[in-house]
């Protein structure tokens, strides 16, 4: 039985450090930083299997454009405990604590080509994204990110909105496709975006690989192709007033779904 709780002590921060090393193979955040953050509006949530920490979510207080938010910076899960809905449990616990502390909005980033993360953030949690950040963290050297621009979606989670509280399903029937997947001579998928001058449909969809790391392992050139071609489409959609709201799964690829932001019940945001 996995137990989720808020973490506040230096001993718990040291456990988080060990899990950070295991998940990403990088030097962890110093405990003096995480401990100071959680004492000043930040939130660290941990998932335990008995006494063993198997997952965590870490966020700190943010301030932008006159608005306070919780910046959820890291979510890490022991590889032996993935695909067990632990990430979802951590985020819901983080939301409960954030509301109790007075937050209305939480935001975080993820690689839009990592569709497992996208499915959690958009489809399961009802987060939305209309912000694309090119090379957000510069050149990263860990195994997941090395060799590519660290482009990111910034997810916004409107914690008290009807869209999140009631898990409202957006209207996404019959999406207009933004492109198609073609396969080259080596059998690797490429994106063929469709040309659009204006966007007038209620719903659009864009196919993306369901396992981007597999493509990257086979061909860095193909991975870069997907990064740059999807970057163009995502930026076009966000500039036109749409936001990403869902990932629909299929056997060979997944589809991002876009709707107009002003059609969602976001509580005035």
């Amino acid at each position: 039985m996995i137990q989720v709780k808020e973490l506040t002590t230096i001993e718990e921060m040291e456990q988080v450090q060990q899990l950070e090393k295991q998940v990403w193979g990088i030097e962890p955040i110093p405990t003096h930083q995480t401990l100071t953050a959680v004492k000043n509006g930040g939130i660290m949530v941990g998932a335990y299997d008995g006494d063993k920490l198997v997952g965590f979510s870490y966020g700190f207080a943010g301030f932008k454009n006159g608005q306070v938010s919780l910046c959820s910076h890291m979510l890490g899960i022991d590889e032996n405990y993935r695909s067990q809905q632990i990430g979802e449990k951590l985020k819901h616990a983080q939301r409960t604590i954030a509301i109790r502390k007075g937050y209305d909005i939480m935001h975080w980033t993820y690689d839009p080509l990592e569709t497992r993360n996208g499915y959690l953030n958009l489809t399961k949690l009802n987060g939305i994204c209309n912000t694309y950040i090119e090379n957000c963290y510069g050149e990263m050297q860990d195994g997941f990110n090395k060799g590519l621009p660290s482009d990111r979606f910034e997810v916004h989670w409107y914690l008290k909105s009807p869209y999140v509280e009631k898990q409202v399903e957006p209207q996404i029937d019959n999406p207009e496709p933004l492109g198609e997947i073609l396969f080259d001579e080596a059998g690797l998928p490429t994106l063929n975006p469709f040309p659009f001058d204006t966007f007038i449909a209620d719903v659009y969809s864009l196919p993306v690989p369901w396992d981007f790391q597999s493509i990257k392992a086979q061909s860095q050139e193909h991975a870069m192709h997907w990064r740059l071609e999807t970057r163009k489409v995502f930026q076009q959609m966000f500039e036109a007033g749409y936001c990403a709201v869902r990932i629909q799964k299929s056997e060979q690829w997944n589809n991002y779904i876009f709707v107009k932001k002003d059609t969602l019940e976001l509580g005035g945001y």
Side-chain angles (χ1 to χ4, degrees), residues 94-252:
Q94 195 178 29
R95 174 180 176 266
T96 299
I97 298 166
I99 291 173
R100 188 177 72 228
K101 290 179 181 287
Y103 291 105
D104 294 323
I105 299 175
M106 191 186 307
H107 63 88
W108 62 90
T109 62
Y110 79 95
D111 185 336
L113 293 173
E114 296 293 344
T115 53
R116 175 182 290 184
N117 296 338
Y119 187 78
L120 169 64
N121 297 332
L122 305 181
T123 305
K124 301 288 285 185
L125 297 177
N126 269 30
I128 69 167
C129 177
N130 65 346
T131 303
Y132 192 93
I133 307 172
E134 292 187 23
N135 205 24
C136 181
Y137 301 113
E139 298 301 319
M140 303 177 73
Q141 298 303 314
D142 65 278
F144 282 101
N145 298 287
K146 188 174 182 179
L148 290 178
S150 57
D151 291 17
R152 293 292 184 268
F153 270 9
E154 183 177 276
V155 175
H156 294 163
W157 205 20
Y158 297 97
L159 304 178
K160 300 178 183 179
S161 70
Y163 184 67
V164 173
E165 283 193 335
K166 299 177 182 179
Q167 286 290 286
V168 174
E169 288 287 337
Q171 296 297 316
I172 58 174
D173 296 331
N174 301 315
E176 180 79 15
L178 292 162
E180 62 182 346
I181 287 183
L182 303 176
F183 291 88
D184 66 8
E185 296 176 352
L188 290 173
T190 61
L191 178 65
N192 177 37
F194 298 153
F196 282 90
D197 294 325
T198 58
F199 299 96
I200 58 174
D202 293 331
V203 188
Y204 287 93
S205 66
L206 181 72
V208 291
W210 68 268
D211 185 358
F212 181 60
Q213 288 299 322
S214 175
I215 292 175
K216 185 179 174 184
Q218 295 176 74
S219 170
Q220 191 76 17
E221 181 181 354
H222 280 74
M224 185 65 78
H225 159 85
W226 277 100
R227 172 67 81 221
L228 299 181
E229 290 300 319
T230 56
R231 174 193 286 179
K232 296 173 188 175
V233 178
F234 290 142
Q235 290 177 330
Q236 280 183 313
M237 295 307 296
F238 297 159
E239 288 170 5
Y242 292 83
C243 59
V245 294
R246 286 290 185 272
I247 284 183
Q248 290 184 331
K249 295 182 177 181
S250 68
E251 290 185 6
Q252 288 189 299

